[in-house]
Amino acid sequence: MNARVLRTELRRSVAPWAGLVVLGGSLAVLYAVNGLWWRGTAAWTGQWTSMALTTRSMLAYLWPLSVGFGAVFGLRDSRSRTAELLASTPRPAWRRAAVPAGALALALVSGFGLLVLWGGSQVALGESDYLPAGWPAISLVAALALAAGAVFGMGLARTLPSVLTPPILVVGSLVTVMYLRQTTDTALPSGQAPNRLSQLSPVTDMPREMLLTLSGAVDLGQVLWFLGLLGTGFALLTASTVRARLFAAAPVLVGAALALLVLPADPRDTWVVDRAAAALVCDGPVCVTRANGAQLPVFAPSGKEALRVLHDALGDRAPAAVHEETTLRATGDDRQLSGDTVLVDFDDPLIARATGAELTRLLVAQGLAPNCRPRTPWEGGGLNAVAAQSVVASWALGDRQPQPLQKPEDDRYSQVAWASATAAWEKLTALPRAEQRARIAEVRAAALSCGDELASLTGEASR
C-alpha cells in the first residue's frame, strides 16, 4: 500500500473520527461513571493486567461500533455509484480495498492504543512496581479484534449494499457479544454459551480479582479466530463474483475451527492465576504478593507488632504469620480462614487505607476475630463483625474504652451494632482476667467457624 495514498485516505475520509470515538467514548465511560473499575486492588489504574482487562471490556460496545463503522465505509462506493467504474480500472482489487480498510483499521487501533497508553501511564505513576509479562497480549488481541470487526463489516456491506446493513450489523454484533459474555463473579467462569464458544467474543469480563489473567491458550485461539474474520472480510471486499464470495468464507471457517481446537474447554483453564503475581515476598513472618510488593515496607512493621500483641493475648495459640490472602473465591463466598495465619485482604476498605497504629489495630482484630464474610468495596461488610473486632482489638491493646475500627454511621443499623459492642465490652471487662481470656478464645473459635462473634462475645452463643 502506497503510504501517500493512505495519508490521503486518512485526511479526506471520516476514518480518524472512528478512532476518536474509540478513545473519547472509552475515557468518557471510565471517568464519568464511578464503576467497579475504580475500586479495590483490581482498579483499572492499579495494576497492568487489570488495566488491560478493563480497557478490553470496553469492547462490549466498541466492537459492535467498529463493525458498524466498517459497514458504513463499505457502502461508500455504492452510495457514490462508482463501484462499476472502479472495478473497470486496471488497478488490482486488493489494492483498492486495502486503502480504505487499512485507514479505518489504523484509526481504530490507534484510538484503542492511545486508550491503553493513557491507562498504562496511570499505572506507571501509581504505587505498583510489578510488571507482568502477559498483559500486552490482552491488549494486542483487542486491537486485532477491532481491526477484524471493521474489515469484516466493510466486506459484508460491500456484498450486501443496503442502508440497512450497518444498523443490522451493529445490533447483531451487540446481541452476539451479549450472548457470548462470560462472567467471573462465580467460582468458575460462566455464561449462556458453552465455554469454548464464549471465548470467541472479543470482550472480557471486568477484572474482579487482581491475580486473575487469561491463559495463553485463550490468547492464541482468539488470534486465530480474528485473523480468520479479518481474512474473510478482506476477501469479501475484493470478491466480484458469487463464487469468489462463497470462497471468501473459507478463512473465517478455518480460523473458527483452529480456534475451537486451541481454546480450553474447561473454565478453570480460561481464567488462571498469575503465579508470578501471586508469589509471596516476605519480611520475616509478614508476607504480601509480588503484585503488592510495594506495600511491604509499610505493612511489615505493623504486621510484626500485631503478632506480638496477639501472642500476649493468646499465648501459644496465637498465629505466627501475617500473609496476604491469595485464595480465589466467588463474589459473596465465605473466606477460607486459618488459625495459624492472619489473612489480609487488601480489597478490605478498612485495611486498604490504614497505616501505622491503625493498621496494627486492624491486624490484631483480624487475628482475634477474623471476618468470615468478605469486606470489599462492592460487597460491603458485616456491621456486627466490625463491632466484635473493635471490642476484641481494644481488649488486646489495653484500651480503657472500645475504639471503633470504623466510624459508626448515623443510620440505625450502625448505631444498633455499636450499642451491642458497647454492651459486650462492659460484660467482657466485668469478668475476671482468666474468664476474659476464655471468652476471647470462644470469640476466635466462633469467627474461624463462621459463627456469630458478637453473640460469643456477650456469652449468648453458649446458652
Side-chain angles (χ1 to χ4, degrees):
M1 187 191 306
N2 190 294
R4 181 176 57 83
V5 177
L6 179 61
R7 287 197 300 270
T8 302
E9 178 73 24
L10 287 170
R11 188 169 62 251
R12 295 183 178 179
S13 72
V14 295
W17 289 101
L20 289 176
V21 168
V22 169
L23 176 60
S26 299
L27 290 177
V29 171
L30 289 170
Y31 281 92
V33 179
N34 185 22
L36 293 180
W37 48 83
W38 287 110
R39 305 175 192 172
T41 56
W44 85 285
T45 56
Q47 299 285 347
W48 290 96
T49 300
S50 299
M51 181 275 296
L53 290 171
T54 301
T55 53
R56 184 163 168 180
S57 70
M58 295 292 105
L59 265 64
Y61 70 89
L62 292 182
W63 196 74
L65 283 178
S66 71
V67 176
F69 280 129
V72 172
F73 253 56
L75 293 177
R76 187 170 61 175
D77 292 348
S78 63
R79 287 201 312 268
S80 60
R81 300 179 181 179
T82 60
E84 293 184 6
L85 175 64
L86 293 174
S88 65
T89 61
R91 195 178 186 191
W94 70 267
R95 278 192 152 185
R96 294 197 309 272
V99 174
L104 181 57
L106 180 61
L108 290 170
V109 170
S110 298
F112 186 76
L114 289 174
L115 172 65
V116 173
L117 185 63
W118 173 256
S121 67
Q122 302 307 298
V123 177
L125 292 173
E127 297 180 355
S128 176
D129 60 356
Y130 173 66
L131 182 62
W135 79 267
I138 299 171
S139 297
L140 289 174
V141 172
L144 175 61
L146 287 173
V151 176
F152 185 69
M154 291 180 70
L156 284 180
R158 192 179 187 282
T159 304
L160 303 170
S162 168
V163 293
L164 297 177
T165 300
I168 289 175
L169 286 180
V170 171
V171 173
S173 300
L174 186 61
V175 170
T176 301
V177 165
M178 292 298 104
Y179 172 71
L180 296 179
R181 180 180 178 271
Q182 195 176 59
T183 178
T184 58
D185 286 345
T186 50
L188 292 175
S190 62
Q192 301 179 56
N195 189 63
R196 273 201 176 103
L197 190 61
S198 67
Q199 293 168 71
L200 296 180
S201 171
V203 184
T204 60
D205 193 32
M206 194 71 65
R208 180 180 57 84
E209 293 278 0
M210 173 194 64
L211 301 177
L212 280 178
T213 187
L214 289 173
S215 67
V218 175
D219 294 330
L220 177 58
Q222 290 180 340
V223 166
L224 294 172
W225 160 241
F226 290 121
L227 285 177
L229 197 66
L230 180 66
T232 288
F234 194 74
L236 288 174
L237 274 176
T238 60
S240 57
T241 64
V242 174
R243 185 178 181 183
R245 287 167 183 160
L246 291 175
F247 278 113
V252 72
L253 294 177
V254 172
L258 293 176
L260 291 175
L261 288 175
V262 173
L263 292 171
D266 192 336
R268 292 181 180 86
D269 299 325
T270 302
W271 290 86
V272 296
V273 174
D274 184 342
R275 297 189 180 277
L280 294 179
V281 292
C282 302
D283 182 351
V286 181
C287 301
V288 298
T289 61
R290 176 66 185 86
N292 282 324
Q295 303 269 13
L296 187 59
V298 176
F299 190 69
S302 295
K304 293 175 182 177
E305 176 62 17
L307 290 176
R308 185 194 65 77
V309 174
L310 289 170
H311 185 269
D312 292 342
L314 298 173
D316 294 338
R317 291 174 295 177
V322 178
H323 286 181
E324 180 181 352
E325 189 175 356
T326 57
T327 302
L328 302 180
R329 62 176 184 273
T331 301
D333 279 2
D334 292 342
R335 302 171 69 200
Q336 297 182 16
L337 301 175
S338 170
D340 300 328
T341 305
V342 179
L343 294 178
V344 178
D345 185 1
F346 283 116
D347 275 327
D348 185 335
L350 299 183
I351 291 178
R353 55 176 177 257
T355 57
E358 182 185 4
L359 179 57
T360 301
R361 179 177 293 272
L362 284 164
L363 294 177
V364 170
Q366 285 291 334
L368 291 175
N371 53 295
C372 183
R373 303 296 296 173
R375 286 198 298 255
T376 66
W378 53 90
E379 291 169 320
L383 295 176
N384 286 344
V386 175
Q389 287 182 331
S390 300
V391 171
V392 296
S394 296
W395 176 85
L397 292 168
D399 296 332
R400 294 179 178 273
Q401 294 293 330
Q403 302 296 320
L405 297 178
Q406 178 180 345
K407 183 180 179 181
E409 302 291 339
D410 293 332
D411 61 275
R412 173 176 173 271
Y413 298 103
S414 297
Q415 297 299 328
V416 168
W418 186 244
S420 300
T422 304
W425 172 266
E426 293 175 356
K427 289 184 179 181
L428 176 66
T429 54
L431 297 172
R433 188 64 181 178
E435 293 186 23
Q436 291 180 22
R437 288 182 177 274
R439 183 65 56 82
I440 294 297
E442 292 177 9
V443 172
R444 187 163 186 261
L448 292 173
S449 60
C450 294
D452 190 336
E453 307 98 320
L454 200 55
S456 297
L457 192 57
T458 57
E460 297 175 2
S462 58
R463 294 176 184 175

